[in-house]
Amino acid sequence: MSNDAARRYLRWSKPLVLCTGLLLAPQALALDAAVKGLKGAAATNVVNYLAGLTLEEDVPAERYEDEIIRRIQEALQAFGYYDAQITLRYPEKGLLGGDDVVVTVDAGEPVTIETLELRLEGDAARDKVMKKALADANLEEGDVLRHSRYDSLKSTLASLSLERGYFDTSFSQQRIEVRPWLHSARIYLVMQSGQRYRFGDITYLNSQIELDRVKAMQPFQTGDYYEAGKLTQFNQRLSEAGWFRSAAIKPQLNPGAELKTTSPDSKIKTRNVKTAYAEAQGYEGSWLADVERTDVEGAEVEQTRDESQRADAASRSDSTVPAAQAAGSATEDQTSLASGSDTPVLTGDALEAAVKTANGPIIPVDISLIPADRHKFETGIGYATDVGPRLQFSWEMPWVNRYGHSMTNSLFLSSPEQTFEGEYRMPLADPLKDSYVLEYGVAIVDDDDETSNETTVRFGREWKFDNGWQQKIYLGASYDDFTIASDTGQVFLLYPGVSWTRTRTRPKAFPMWGDRQKLTVEYGNQIWGSDENFVWTQFDTNWIRSIGNNHRFVARAGIGNLDTDNFHGMPNSKRFYAGGDSSVRGYSYESLSPEDDDGDDEGGSSLLTSSLEYDYRLTGDWWGAAFYDAGNAFDGWDALELKTAAGMGIRWISPVGPIRLDIAHPFDDDDNDYRIHFSIGPEF
């Protein structure tokens, strides 16, 4: 055979040899066990322990009997059964296979806890969170021994120690003593936490925003007890602010370093010694600084004064001044210097820092920030049956200046409507919860029964509360040149307003749980320059709840009212309409409203809409939907008349967001049997 032929033979034969070897190699199979005489978690644990044992093909399970028994005993001991009688049987497999081993267990009497010693020592003994973890351990004398509960408690204490700043933690006792012949056990778990660490100096790097603004979001201060959760909370707040591309918060823990600080009560005998609290704002010029300076200088003064008094006493024959008395006089002089009424008072923050940093070790924290991009641009395209194709362009400035101001501008383009909206936000003392907001916008509408050119400006203050509610109080002004049905006019409105909003969803893309409420009230009066007197109110609520992972329920309702003495002089933005993808399906966009004498929609002074929907997961990210909608816009509540519709739809959770396709049948429209609704994006 030539060399070339040999090489070709080897090239083609190697894969064949490898495949043959794999086929002929012994296969490892998991042991399949059935348990009798035992139920519940203990029986499941036996099966799981044995499933980890693999058998070579064609090797009978009997060969592994010692290992099988050992694993069964371990599985039972975890539940307190140390004296169990175990019988094994190895059934022959039929054509369809079967159990490798059948385990019959007589568990016997379980081991119970006779002695239980759980204790915290050190600072953790006074920590409510650590004490609660100990109380919730579910371990009591007389209980059946469960090793998992002991392991869980130990793991919990170790984790909490790291989370809460007990970095010198050790377990001085950690053992379980089992006496199977007495069916009893003794548990000893004693944790020595040592001192709890506190936050030390906090250093910021690379912040383009004034540090006072950033520190306002900081949930901890120098001297506070260390909590890892507060670092996570701060990182989240920095992200929510939008000022930074990234934030790295790094506690500088050095177990080998000496982190103790000097107590303010100790006497300082060396010049130029500074403790951590001496760096606090307000320290210089305070009574505490005076005390320390007095101590430093007083040591020398006291020594000189004592020597002078002793020399004077020795030279005078008529009187003697005891050294103790001389020392007492010096002490009184020092006290009067430290407590003089003209000395500045230490600020509360500095005093608190002085007291805290005097006790226990500290951890400095470095916070490295990377500024967010100054400008962000986005474009998007969408489609809805209400307005057809829709383009969106947005320009965002996450930070405009060093004070953390931000600006957002958006342009929306569709066939019937073109809108430009903008917002300039000025954070206050609490940047995430309190800010001034300037809103502005221009809207151009050219629809069948309506043309409108509206310019709006609003300036107000916005608060965000811990319960999720958001409150906004503002002063708004708008000018609108409009034609609505047979109404034509130009109107300037000046009005104060207030709104309350709360939105909760999880997850955000396609919520399985969530709700949204919004209430807005606006009031215009000719007294302060508004062309019309009016009170405009609108309330919307949406709810999403689910049962399990496959059943989802969606409900929404809306109510609105316009109270004015000149309805026909009000612009379109203050009139109400119903119908469309997010209103009453089965009817075209804003087609439900009172009509004028020519049959054109002119909007209503009142609104009421509602919807109920049930979604069922068909498979994966595909859902089916069935719904019933009702609502209308009308002139006054006396003219209440609801239009209704029902239908079915499909939901797809796509990578670009939820896509909804609905087919709705209107019950009160003789001209149309059905209407198709298509939309992309979240529900609220």
Side-chain angles (χ1 to χ4, degrees):
M1 181 182 297
S2 66
N3 291 336
D4 291 340
R7 281 195 294 269
R8 286 196 298 270
Y9 172 78
L10 290 174
R11 185 176 60 190
W12 288 105
S13 63
K14 280 183 179 180
L16 180 61
V17 171
L18 289 174
C19 292
T20 304
L22 290 174
L23 290 174
L24 296 178
Q27 301 295 310
L29 304 174
L31 179 65
D32 188 10
V35 178
K36 296 183 178 181
L38 192 66
K39 295 182 179 180
T44 302
N45 203 40
V46 171
V47 173
N48 292 337
Y49 262 67
L50 293 179
L53 177 61
T54 55
L55 311 178
E56 292 184 6
E57 190 177 19
D58 297 330
V59 176
E62 293 92 327
R63 297 278 186 89
Y64 299 86
E65 183 166 309
D66 291 343
E67 179 65 14
I68 292 173
I69 292 177
R70 187 188 67 80
R71 289 180 179 242
I72 294 173
Q73 288 174 340
E74 286 186 6
L76 293 174
Q77 288 171 6
F79 284 81
Y81 298 110
Y82 277 78
D83 194 23
Q85 302 300 316
I86 302 170
T87 303
L88 303 181
R89 182 169 59 87
Y90 307 96
E92 293 186 5
K93 297 181 180 180
L95 294 176
L96 299 179
D99 299 319
D100 295 305
V101 61
V102 176
V103 181
T104 303
V105 177
D106 180 3
E109 182 180 348
V111 168
T112 58
I113 301 173
E114 175 188 34
T115 302
L116 180 65
E117 184 175 344
L118 306 176
R119 191 168 70 252
L120 299 172
E121 295 179 348
D123 285 358
R126 298 180 294 276
D127 189 323
K128 293 182 179 180
V129 175
M130 300 295 291
K131 290 164 66 177
K132 185 177 185 302
L134 205 64
D136 294 343
N138 199 17
L139 287 170
E140 298 288 344
E141 291 184 358
D143 288 351
V144 174
L145 176 63
R146 295 286 188 271
H147 286 263
S148 60
R149 295 177 183 175
Y150 169 86
D151 294 336
S152 176
L153 173 60
K154 185 178 175 182
S155 176
T156 298
L157 293 178
S159 297
L160 282 177
S161 295
L162 294 177
E163 292 175 10
R164 298 185 64 76
Y166 300 102
F167 296 111
D168 301 323
T169 292
S170 63
F171 289 98
S172 57
Q173 295 189 58
Q174 47 177 331
R175 69 183 188 275
I176 300 178
E177 298 177 358
V178 180
R179 292 169 171 78
W181 61 93
L182 297 177
H183 304 292
S184 66
R186 299 176 181 180
I187 296 179
Y188 302 92
L189 185 63
V190 179
M191 191 188 85
Q192 173 56 253
S193 70
Q195 288 183 294
R196 186 177 181 185
Y197 282 63
R198 297 178 184 268
F199 288 110
D201 293 335
I202 303 169
T203 305
Y204 286 85
L205 303 173
N206 304 325
S207 176
Q208 82 282 17
I209 307 299
E210 285 194 346
L211 286 184
D212 287 345
R213 300 273 172 154
V214 181
K215 290 180 179 179
M217 300 183 292
Q218 186 178 294
F220 57 88
Q221 303 296 330
T222 297
D224 289 349
Y225 281 122
Y226 177 91
E227 289 185 43
K230 289 186 177 180
L231 297 179
T232 302
Q233 182 183 7
F234 188 33
N235 195 294
Q236 182 178 354
R237 290 179 179 180
L238 292 173
S239 177
E240 290 177 3
W243 298 331
F244 309 105
R245 184 192 306 171
S246 67
I249 303 178
K250 299 179 180 178
Q252 301 301 317
L253 177 62
N254 184 359
E258 181 63 37
L259 297 176
K260 294 182 179 179
T261 59
T262 304
S263 169
D265 296 329
S266 64
K267 300 298 182 181
I268 302 177
K269 301 300 181 182
T270 307
R271 293 181 183 272
N272 301 324
V273 174
K274 286 250 183 178
T275 57
Y277 59 85
E279 303 293 341
Q281 184 179 2
Y283 169 81
E284 293 296 338
S286 67
W287 62 265
L288 185 60
D290 288 341
V291 170
E292 294 195 347
R293 281 194 294 269
T294 301
D295 287 339
V296 174
E297 298 169 0
E300 300 173 0
V301 173
E302 184 177 350
Q303 180 179 1
T304 303
R305 184 177 301 174
D306 288 346
E307 293 175 354
S308 176
Q309 288 177 340
R310 283 195 296 271
D312 184 56
S315 65
R316 295 163 60 181
S317 59
D318 57 342
S319 63
T320 302
V321 179
Q325 181 180 344
S329 300
T331 303
E332 291 175 0
D333 291 341
Q334 285 181 225
T335 304
S336 65
L337 286 172
S339 59
S341 59
D342 295 333
T343 58
V345 178
L346 187 67
T347 64
D349 290 342
L351 178 59
E352 184 179 2
V355 174
K356 289 180 177 179
T357 57
N359 300 288
I362 60 173
I363 298 182
V365 179
D366 290 347
I367 302 171
S368 180
L369 305 169
I370 299 178
D373 294 337
R374 195 70 178 269
H375 303 277
K376 295 181 179 179
F377 300 93
E378 290 184 0
T379 60
I381 184 171
Y383 180 87
T385 50
D386 288 345
V387 296
R390 187 178 187 181
L391 296 176
Q392 175 184 349
F393 303 92
S394 65
W395 168 39
E396 179 182 358
M397 295 183 67
W399 56 279
V400 176
N401 51 35
R402 60 192 177 96
Y403 302 108
H405 295 186
S406 61
M407 183 172 64
T408 303
N409 296 288
S410 300
L411 177 65
F412 300 93
L413 301 175
S414 65
S415 177
E417 183 176 356
Q418 300 83 49
T419 303
F420 171 75
E421 299 174 352
E423 175 188 279
Y424 189 89
R425 184 173 294 270
M426 296 160 278
L428 296 176
D430 191 340
L432 294 181
K433 296 183 178 180
D434 191 5
S435 58
Y436 287 123
V437 181
L438 174 65
E439 298 173 294
Y440 46 89
V442 176
I444 301 174
V445 179
D446 187 1
D447 208 353
D448 293 338
D449 302 330
E450 172 195 355
T451 59
S452 173
N453 292 271
E454 182 182 33
T455 302
T456 303
V457 177
R458 297 196 305 186
F459 180 78
R461 188 168 180 177
E462 183 178 283
W463 295 268
K464 295 180 180 179
F465 304 109
D466 292 336
N467 59 7
W469 283 96
Q470 176 178 313
Q471 174 182 278
K472 184 185 296 184
I473 297 177
Y474 56 88
L475 178 65
S478 66
Y479 178 80
D480 197 340
D481 184 354
F482 66 90
T483 297
I484 305 172
S486 56
D487 297 333
T488 301
Q490 298 84 37
V491 60
F492 172 76
L493 301 180
L494 183 63
Y495 50 90
V498 60
S499 69
W500 294 273
T501 307
R502 183 180 68 175
T503 301
R504 303 180 296 177
T505 58
R506 54 176 190 259
K508 288 188 176 181
F510 190 72
M512 297 296 290
W513 183 96
D515 53 68
R516 181 178 187 271
Q517 291 79 38
K518 182 175 183 179
L519 172 64
T520 304
V521 180
E522 297 176 348
Y523 173 56
N525 197 298
Q526 294 176 347
I527 294 176
W528 51 68
S530 178
D531 288 346
E532 302 292 345
N533 299 324
F534 70 93
V535 177
W536 186 86
T537 307
Q538 186 167 10
F539 173 72
D540 295 294
T541 182
N542 301 66
W543 294 81
I544 298 175
R545 295 293 187 267
S546 59
I547 298 177
N549 296 321
N550 300 322
H551 304 275
R552 184 171 177 267
F553 301 88
V554 182
R556 54 182 168 82
I559 185 171
N561 189 73
L562 171 63
D563 186 5
T564 179
D565 50 11
N566 182 19
F567 176 81
H568 296 284
M570 296 298 292
N572 182 67
S573 59
K574 296 294 184 269
R575 304 188 187 194
F576 294 105
Y577 299 84
D581 299 343
S582 57
S583 179
V584 183
R585 287 164 286 191
Y587 302 87
S588 61
Y589 179 57
E590 294 190 349
S591 64
L592 299 179
S593 83
E595 300 176 348
D596 64 5
D597 295 338
D598 297 328
D600 296 328
D601 296 327
E602 61 179 6
S605 62
S606 301
L607 173 74
L608 180 63
T609 61
S610 63
S611 175
L612 290 174
E613 178 176 309
Y614 166 68
D615 298 337
Y616 176 75
R617 188 192 300 270
L618 300 175
T619 178
D621 293 332
W622 290 89
W623 294 70
F627 58 85
Y628 179 85
D629 295 351
N632 204 353
F634 37 87
D635 287 327
W637 297 101
D638 294 338
L640 175 62
E641 181 183 353
L642 298 182
K643 305 292 186 180
T644 59
M648 303 182 70
I650 293 292
R651 310 283 181 263
W652 176 42
I653 311 174
S654 75
V656 298
I659 297 177
R660 292 180 293 277
L661 176 65
D662 293 324
I663 301 177
H665 170 67
F667 296 114
D668 303 291
D669 186 351
D670 297 333
D671 297 330
N672 297 288
D673 291 331
Y674 68 92
R675 183 172 182 81
I676 297 176
H677 297 269
F678 179 80
S679 60
I680 302 175
E683 279 142 318
F684 51 84

